[in-house]
Amino acid sequence: MHNAAAELMGVINGMWGIIGTWEMAYEGVKEGALVLKGQGHIFDALETCVRMVEDCSEYSSVGYGGLPNAAGVVELDAAFMDGETLSIGAVAALKDFANPCIIARKLMTEKLNNFLAGEGAEQYAHRQGFPRKNMLTEKSKEQWLEHKEKEMAKRRELNPYTGHDTVCAIGIDGTGHMAACTSTSGLFYKTPGRVGDSPLPGCGYYVDNRIGGACATGLGEDIMKGALSFQVVQYMGQGMSPQEACNEAVKGLNDRLVAAGRGRAGDLSVIAMNARGDFGASTNIKAFPFVAASEKQPLATYIAKCEEGIVTVIKA
Ligand code: ASP
């Protein structure tokens, strides 16, 4: 074991775990778990997981086939974080590249300029030899046209459609090394240049080997208001289990936003894993599915439910 902090926390040598958001992460978590089981590196496991979702055109909120912005352009946000060094790599509003998660991983190795947006991110990806790819599928284009026509017919200001999801993954490998990764096309019909929580450290993700990691999905504008992922990790650092930390952070931010007079908060869902490989999740929406696998628990889909203000997790 190379990680002294993990050793202090009593991590059993060889113990591994991986958790991902939404049902779309199922195949990716399965493959990522195989990497970890075979004593692979946590970065490879998370890249395998998130890349599979990015490559699948069926998922309309991540990577290829992601729904476009109001101008009909697919703009992607993604990030990678190393729980050992706390290094981050992130891209925002990236166009025309297939795997933003791999570009984010590469950016994580740089000394400076770790978070690039728009054209600068595209130039970096090109310099690094990543191939360009048109990420707009016919299906996504049709949905965009349909939405545009409906909005025009209503003659009101064009608002981002509320459908959105981010694939997030957190994991720990057999050496006690943790990491987190996120990837999304953000809100459908967003204003060009809009950046959500997913590439922002502390908001869409945060991980520290000494404690654990957390990732968020939901309305980026509201997740940012509470630096939700950082808050979950801080709670775990204070001794809470991943489940308690997720519940406390989601409930806290939800209540704070409601108290701010808005009626209801936007969608807030989080997953977390600690440095022992225990995991949890929480949400303020009716049902939030997630997928997990670890040395201790076989691959399974779970559903976090929000009932009467009390957030519980049940197995699907
Ligand atoms: N959080 C993402 C964003 O606001 C979308 C989502 O996860 O549903 O861009």
Side-chain angles (χ1 to χ4, degrees), residues 164-166 184 186-187 194 196-198 217-220 223:
H164 47 83
D165 283 338
T166 300
T184 188
L187 300 186
R194 179 261 186 193
D197 60 301
S198 308
T217 174
L219 186 67
I223 291 168

PDB file of all heavy atoms in Angstrom, residues 164-166 184 186-187 194 196-198 217-220 223, ligand 1:
ATOM      1  N   HIS A 164     -32.085  16.763 -18.065  1.00  0.00           N
ATOM      2  CA  HIS A 164     -30.621  16.818 -18.003  1.00  0.00           C
ATOM      3  C   HIS A 164     -30.149  15.722 -17.062  1.00  0.00           C
ATOM      4  O   HIS A 164     -30.900  15.314 -16.180  1.00  0.00           O
ATOM      5  CB  HIS A 164     -30.153  18.169 -17.460  1.00  0.00           C
ATOM      6  CG  HIS A 164     -30.895  18.602 -16.229  1.00  0.00           C
ATOM      7  ND1 HIS A 164     -30.558  18.163 -14.961  1.00  0.00           N
ATOM      8  CD2 HIS A 164     -31.984  19.383 -16.064  1.00  0.00           C
ATOM      9  CE1 HIS A 164     -31.411  18.689 -14.085  1.00  0.00           C
ATOM     10  NE2 HIS A 164     -32.293  19.423 -14.733  1.00  0.00           N
ATOM     11  N   ASP A 165     -28.960  15.256 -17.231  1.00  0.00           N
ATOM     12  CA  ASP A 165     -28.352  14.268 -16.327  1.00  0.00           C
ATOM     13  C   ASP A 165     -26.852  14.284 -16.552  1.00  0.00           C
ATOM     14  O   ASP A 165     -26.412  14.500 -17.673  1.00  0.00           O
ATOM     15  CB  ASP A 165     -28.849  12.836 -16.616  1.00  0.00           C
ATOM     16  CG  ASP A 165     -30.253  12.579 -16.079  1.00  0.00           C
ATOM     17  OD1 ASP A 165     -30.676  13.304 -15.167  1.00  0.00           O
ATOM     18  OD2 ASP A 165     -30.908  11.667 -16.586  1.00  0.00           O
ATOM     19  N   THR A 166     -26.108  13.981 -15.504  1.00  0.00           N
ATOM     20  CA  THR A 166     -24.651  13.902 -15.630  1.00  0.00           C
ATOM     21  C   THR A 166     -24.204  12.511 -15.230  1.00  0.00           C
ATOM     22  O   THR A 166     -24.713  11.968 -14.245  1.00  0.00           O
ATOM     23  CB  THR A 166     -23.987  14.922 -14.669  1.00  0.00           C
ATOM     24  OG1 THR A 166     -24.430  16.222 -15.025  1.00  0.00           O
ATOM     25  CG2 THR A 166     -22.475  14.856 -14.738  1.00  0.00           C
ATOM     26  N   THR A 184     -21.010  15.650 -18.933  1.00  0.00           N
ATOM     27  CA  THR A 184     -22.406  15.994 -19.237  1.00  0.00           C
ATOM     28  C   THR A 184     -22.494  16.945 -20.425  1.00  0.00           C
ATOM     29  O   THR A 184     -21.526  17.652 -20.749  1.00  0.00           O
ATOM     30  CB  THR A 184     -23.060  16.689 -18.008  1.00  0.00           C
ATOM     31  OG1 THR A 184     -24.456  16.849 -18.246  1.00  0.00           O
ATOM     32  CG2 THR A 184     -22.444  18.042 -17.715  1.00  0.00           C
ATOM     33  N   GLY A 186     -24.993  18.983 -20.092  1.00  0.00           N
ATOM     34  CA  GLY A 186     -25.659  20.056 -19.325  1.00  0.00           C
ATOM     35  C   GLY A 186     -27.142  20.151 -19.639  1.00  0.00           C
ATOM     36  O   GLY A 186     -27.767  19.173 -20.028  1.00  0.00           O
ATOM     37  N   LEU A 187     -27.699  21.316 -19.485  1.00  0.00           N
ATOM     38  CA  LEU A 187     -29.124  21.500 -19.744  1.00  0.00           C
ATOM     39  C   LEU A 187     -29.407  21.548 -21.234  1.00  0.00           C
ATOM     40  O   LEU A 187     -28.673  22.196 -21.984  1.00  0.00           O
ATOM     41  CB  LEU A 187     -29.616  22.820 -19.138  1.00  0.00           C
ATOM     42  CG  LEU A 187     -29.495  23.046 -17.638  1.00  0.00           C
ATOM     43  CD1 LEU A 187     -30.189  24.348 -17.256  1.00  0.00           C
ATOM     44  CD2 LEU A 187     -30.091  21.890 -16.861  1.00  0.00           C
ATOM     45  N   ARG A 194     -23.093  28.546 -21.457  1.00  0.00           N
ATOM     46  CA  ARG A 194     -23.507  28.222 -20.072  1.00  0.00           C
ATOM     47  C   ARG A 194     -22.674  27.056 -19.539  1.00  0.00           C
ATOM     48  O   ARG A 194     -22.493  26.046 -20.202  1.00  0.00           O
ATOM     49  CB  ARG A 194     -24.993  27.860 -20.052  1.00  0.00           C
ATOM     50  CG  ARG A 194     -25.534  27.470 -18.671  1.00  0.00           C
ATOM     51  CD  ARG A 194     -25.614  25.975 -18.488  1.00  0.00           C
ATOM     52  NE  ARG A 194     -26.260  25.601 -17.230  1.00  0.00           N
ATOM     53  CZ  ARG A 194     -26.216  24.376 -16.735  1.00  0.00           C
ATOM     54  NH1 ARG A 194     -25.579  23.420 -17.355  1.00  0.00           N
ATOM     55  NH2 ARG A 194     -26.812  24.102 -15.585  1.00  0.00           N
ATOM     56  N   GLY A 196     -22.281  24.403 -16.254  1.00  0.00           N
ATOM     57  CA  GLY A 196     -22.963  23.892 -15.067  1.00  0.00           C
ATOM     58  C   GLY A 196     -21.994  23.575 -13.944  1.00  0.00           C
ATOM     59  O   GLY A 196     -20.832  24.006 -13.951  1.00  0.00           O
ATOM     60  N   ASP A 197     -22.450  22.809 -12.980  1.00  0.00           N
ATOM     61  CA  ASP A 197     -21.632  22.449 -11.818  1.00  0.00           C
ATOM     62  C   ASP A 197     -20.605  21.358 -12.130  1.00  0.00           C
ATOM     63  O   ASP A 197     -19.589  21.232 -11.435  1.00  0.00           O
ATOM     64  CB  ASP A 197     -22.540  21.931 -10.688  1.00  0.00           C
ATOM     65  CG  ASP A 197     -23.326  20.704 -11.145  1.00  0.00           C
ATOM     66  OD1 ASP A 197     -24.076  20.822 -12.143  1.00  0.00           O
ATOM     67  OD2 ASP A 197     -23.171  19.625 -10.549  1.00  0.00           O
ATOM     68  N   SER A 198     -20.892  20.565 -13.166  1.00  0.00           N
ATOM     69  CA  SER A 198     -20.126  19.324 -13.377  1.00  0.00           C
ATOM     70  C   SER A 198     -18.613  19.490 -13.547  1.00  0.00           C
ATOM     71  O   SER A 198     -17.861  18.625 -13.096  1.00  0.00           O
ATOM     72  CB  SER A 198     -20.715  18.558 -14.564  1.00  0.00           C
ATOM     73  OG  SER A 198     -22.107  18.410 -14.369  1.00  0.00           O
ATOM     74  N   THR A 217     -25.464  15.596  -9.317  1.00  0.00           N
ATOM     75  CA  THR A 217     -26.183  15.739 -10.581  1.00  0.00           C
ATOM     76  C   THR A 217     -27.509  16.435 -10.266  1.00  0.00           C
ATOM     77  O   THR A 217     -28.043  16.292  -9.173  1.00  0.00           O
ATOM     78  CB  THR A 217     -26.370  14.372 -11.280  1.00  0.00           C
ATOM     79  OG1 THR A 217     -27.203  14.545 -12.440  1.00  0.00           O
ATOM     80  CG2 THR A 217     -26.992  13.330 -10.387  1.00  0.00           C
ATOM     81  N   GLY A 218     -28.009  17.194 -11.237  1.00  0.00           N
ATOM     82  CA  GLY A 218     -29.225  17.963 -10.997  1.00  0.00           C
ATOM     83  C   GLY A 218     -29.081  19.348 -11.591  1.00  0.00           C
ATOM     84  O   GLY A 218     -28.323  19.527 -12.548  1.00  0.00           O
ATOM     85  N   LEU A 219     -29.757  20.304 -11.041  1.00  0.00           N
ATOM     86  CA  LEU A 219     -29.708  21.664 -11.590  1.00  0.00           C
ATOM     87  C   LEU A 219     -28.408  22.352 -11.153  1.00  0.00           C
ATOM     88  O   LEU A 219     -28.267  22.752  -9.990  1.00  0.00           O
ATOM     89  CB  LEU A 219     -30.926  22.464 -11.135  1.00  0.00           C
ATOM     90  CG  LEU A 219     -31.024  23.849 -11.782  1.00  0.00           C
ATOM     91  CD1 LEU A 219     -31.301  23.759 -13.284  1.00  0.00           C
ATOM     92  CD2 LEU A 219     -32.110  24.685 -11.112  1.00  0.00           C
ATOM     93  N   GLY A 220     -27.490  22.479 -12.111  1.00  0.00           N
ATOM     94  CA  GLY A 220     -26.168  23.031 -11.812  1.00  0.00           C
ATOM     95  C   GLY A 220     -26.209  24.363 -11.087  1.00  0.00           C
ATOM     96  O   GLY A 220     -25.453  24.601 -10.149  1.00  0.00           O
ATOM     97  N   ILE A 223     -26.894  23.503  -7.481  1.00  0.00           N
ATOM     98  CA  ILE A 223     -25.818  22.704  -6.865  1.00  0.00           C
ATOM     99  C   ILE A 223     -24.645  23.625  -6.506  1.00  0.00           C
ATOM    100  O   ILE A 223     -24.051  23.522  -5.426  1.00  0.00           O
ATOM    101  CB  ILE A 223     -25.378  21.575  -7.823  1.00  0.00           C
ATOM    102  CG1 ILE A 223     -26.502  20.536  -7.954  1.00  0.00           C
ATOM    103  CG2 ILE A 223     -24.078  20.928  -7.354  1.00  0.00           C
ATOM    104  CD1 ILE A 223     -26.311  19.530  -9.081  1.00  0.00           C
TER     105      ILE A 223
HETATM  106  N1  ASP B   1     -25.700  19.223 -13.274  1.00  0.00           N
HETATM  107  C1  ASP B   1     -25.768  19.274 -14.714  1.00  0.00           C
HETATM  108  C2  ASP B   1     -25.765  20.690 -15.174  1.00  0.00           C
HETATM  109  O1  ASP B   1     -26.407  21.527 -14.573  1.00  0.00           O
HETATM  110  C3  ASP B   1     -26.948  18.556 -15.283  1.00  0.00           C
HETATM  111  C4  ASP B   1     -27.398  17.320 -14.523  1.00  0.00           C
HETATM  112  O2  ASP B   1     -26.603  16.688 -13.852  1.00  0.00           O
HETATM  113  O3  ASP B   1     -28.565  16.959 -14.571  1.00  0.00           O
HETATM  114  O4  ASP B   1     -25.149  20.974 -16.172  1.00  0.00           O
END
